[in-house]
Amino acid sequence: MKNMSFETKCVHGAYKAESGQPQVLPIVQNTTYRYYSSADVAELFDLESPNFMYTRLGSPTVNALEEKMALLEGGSAAIATSSGQAATLITICNLCKAGDHVISAANIYGGTHNLLGVSLKKLGIDVTFVDQELPLEEIIACARPETKAIFGESIGNPALSIIDFDKFSKAAKTIGVPFIVDNTLASPALCRPIEHGADIVIHSTTKYADGHASCVGGMVIESGTFDWAASGKFPGMVEPDESYHGLKFYEKFASVAFTLRLRAVMLRDFGCTMAPMNAYLTHQGLQTLHLRMEKHSQNGLALAEFLSQHEMVEWVLYPGLKGDKYYDLAQKYLPDGASGVLCFGVKGGKEAGEKFLSNLKLTSIVVHVGDIRTSVLHPASTTHRQLSEPEQIAAGIRPELIRVSVGLESIKDIIADFDQALKSVK
Ligand SMILES: *Cc1c(COP(=O)(O)O)cnc(C)c1O
């Protein structure tokens, strides 16, 4: 069926049972594929055949998940990875070599901040973190001749900033580099970055895509519209590749060239493949993404409104809440809901916050977001503890900040749990 609406794509996209076949996407659990002539295998190695050869490079269950994510994000192709971190790693490595440079919004996930600012720096890829509220000209002014990408998160985790897509995509166009958006917290149900000028979309599928806290995974989706030849900055995409005896990725694969190179070079060499079982579980989750994100957003807004009125609460951050710094950008880019993650500070600072956490009964303390179960975390002492306090504050994390991932329980029960735990802090 052509022109399926988003909900229908979630339910039916990418896998269709033919007559007599399993109704649910099957798990193909194996490492390799049999052929009857070496010539057939040679074709695979020359990237002349779409068939499978070895699970590190692709397999049917993983492939169906990739197609579904590409469909949901409106991209030309996608590649699944072993984790969200691996998705960012291979995306940057597909664009950059030692000596190159990336501009990143400062309000990003702590793990990505470490990956870009510490580990990739050690490999010779330099990163400039910018305050994402800077005017367009100042962001463009951070560019150098060796700048290869601009990176940001649609909803910053856990700063809950909303990226100004127009501004960042303009900056990327001016510099002639792709605009990469980590869309983990919004999910394609609430925001589709490619519609707002992103060239590459990244997910930690561990979060809302899976949605049930059952497996770690990542995804890279390309828009298919970036001109890899025009800027002259991406020889790896345009010039002959010596590891594929002279193949030119962009010339041969056009709108899916970035994904093809991720698979043929990055998965081949780095091996950060998603396992078929995880692809199956993530696909199970995606089938209800539209419903879950609607409910996560409703519960998120209701809890944010409740907390903002509570006498024991100092402040609340939720981009869907009227009066929030990012309310207008959220209305513009996330009109169907602002997702299920919110942050707040308990009156009494860090100590009161810790007491609040230990008094929760229904709500779990976990290092996770996007689960069907309501969960909380204190980032300053956990996910962001590797950053200095000034770096934490630059990434949007105050010492008393508590991050909440609102689940799909009854909002009455969630509010009752928060209320009793807040009252017990007094
Ligand atoms: C969790 C997360 C990641 C990292 O993903 P993993 O699957 O844990 O490797 C990246 N970006 C954001 C926004 C995240 O929330």
Side-chain angles (χ1 to χ4, degrees):
M1 186 178 153
K2 286 231 163 74
N3 302 321
M4 286 189 283
S5 51
F6 187 84
E7 295 86 337
T8 313
K9 286 177 190 168
C10 287
V11 177
H12 289 283
Y15 176 75
K16 179 168 183 262
E18 300 300 335
S19 181
Q21 287 191 340
Q23 170 74 328
V24 173
L25 174 69
I27 308 171
V28 179
Q29 182 62 56
N30 74 338
T31 59
T32 197
Y33 296 81
R34 183 175 178 182
Y35 289 94
Y36 284 86
S37 83
S38 289
D40 288 344
V41 181
E43 263 196 0
L44 292 163
F45 275 94
D46 285 347
L47 307 181
E48 293 291 349
S49 160
N51 293 331
F52 300 105
M53 65 164 141
Y54 187 61
T55 295
R56 168 153 42 82
L57 297 169
S59 62
T61 311
V62 179
N63 206 230
L65 177 70
E66 292 166 340
E67 280 178 26
K68 190 155 196 148
M69 282 299 279
L71 191 69
L72 296 181
E73 284 287 3
S76 59
I79 194 149
T81 56
S82 52
S83 67
Q85 289 297 88
T88 305
L89 170 69
I90 65 169
T91 298
I92 300 295
C93 290
N94 213 25
L95 296 166
C96 298
K97 58 177 184 350
D100 285 343
H101 173 246
V102 173
I103 297 171
S104 172
N107 289 0
I108 57 169
Y109 175 67
T112 310
H113 202 286
N114 279 328
L115 170 63
L116 297 176
V118 181
S119 290
L120 285 176
K121 212 163 206 153
K122 284 184 189 156
L123 299 181
I125 297 168
D126 201 15
V127 179
T128 303
F129 291 105
V130 297
D131 172 354
Q132 61 192 54
E133 306 320 319
L134 286 179
L136 175 64
E137 310 73 54
E138 289 187 45
I139 294 171
I140 293 171
C142 296
R144 310 171 188 167
E146 61 276 16
T147 302
K148 296 295 165 72
I150 296 189
F151 183 92
E153 293 181 359
S154 48
I155 304 178
N157 180 9
L160 303 184
S161 46
I162 305 293
I163 201 143
D164 185 335
F165 281 93
D166 284 351
K167 181 173 73 180
F168 270 76
S169 66
K170 261 187 210 136
K173 278 208 175 65
T174 307
I175 303 166
V177 298
F179 174 31
I180 308 169
V181 176
D182 180 331
N183 195 34
T184 298
L185 290 204
S187 93
L190 300 177
C191 178
R192 287 177 292 281
I194 291 169
E195 293 173 5
H196 305 298
D199 302 292
I200 298 165
V201 180
I202 285 175
H203 280 276
S204 164
T205 60
T206 316
K207 313 295 167 53
Y208 285 115
D210 166 357
H212 300 74
S214 48
C215 58
V216 173
M219 191 72 64
V220 186
I221 302 108
E222 80 171 301
S223 68
T225 55
F226 190 82
D227 187 336
W228 298 104
S231 68
K233 282 172 173 274
F234 302 100
M237 296 296 297
V238 177
E239 287 169 12
D241 187 309
E242 60 192 63
S243 69
Y244 282 101
H245 38 76
L247 178 109
K248 297 174 184 168
F249 278 95
Y250 190 40
E251 190 181 281
K252 188 166 173 77
F253 298 112
S255 69
V256 297
F258 189 77
T259 306
L260 251 293
R261 193 175 187 277
L262 281 173
R263 190 182 300 286
V265 180
M266 295 296 145
L267 282 195
R268 179 196 64 185
D269 296 351
F270 293 163
C272 47
T273 308
M274 182 184 280
M277 181 69 190
N278 283 7
Y280 168 82
L281 289 169
T282 306
H283 183 269
Q284 274 308 88
L286 279 184
Q287 294 173 127
T288 56
L289 182 72
H290 54 302
L291 280 178
R292 287 187 286 108
M293 295 317 292
E294 187 182 336
K295 187 71 179 170
H296 279 299
S297 299
Q298 282 169 7
N299 281 356
L301 180 58
L303 184 64
E305 282 170 347
F306 168 78
L307 290 174
S308 68
Q309 305 292 322
H310 203 285
E311 54 165 346
M312 290 307 295
V313 173
E314 193 84 55
W315 51 266
V316 178
L317 292 182
Y318 182 69
L321 190 65
K322 274 211 179 87
D324 188 88
K325 182 178 172 192
Y326 290 100
Y327 182 76
D328 291 340
L329 281 174
Q331 293 298 303
K332 182 171 176 186
Y333 295 117
L334 297 114
D336 297 329
S339 193
V341 183
L342 60 90
C343 293
F344 72 102
V346 181
K347 272 189 193 148
K350 200 175 156 198
E351 264 171 46
E354 281 169 4
K355 195 164 173 209
F356 163 77
L357 286 193
S358 56
N359 285 331
L360 286 163
K361 295 189 165 68
L362 178 69
T363 303
S364 342
I365 303 175
V366 294
V367 183
H368 197 41
V369 294
D371 188 9
I372 55 169
R373 286 151 283 245
T374 299
S375 25
V376 290
L377 186 74
H378 182 225
S381 64
T382 55
T383 50
H384 284 66
R385 65 181 292 121
Q386 311 304 346
L387 306 185
S388 66
E389 195 167 314
E391 280 175 331
Q392 288 182 351
I393 289 176
I397 290 133
R398 300 177 224 181
E400 73 278 17
L401 182 151
I402 290 167
R403 183 184 71 189
V404 185
S405 173
V406 187
L408 302 182
E409 304 93 340
S410 156
I411 188 62
K412 273 197 272 174
D413 296 343
I414 298 170
I415 284 177
D417 193 33
F418 276 65
D419 195 33
Q420 64 80 24
L422 282 168
K423 284 183 174 141
S424 67
V425 170
K426 253 190 177 171

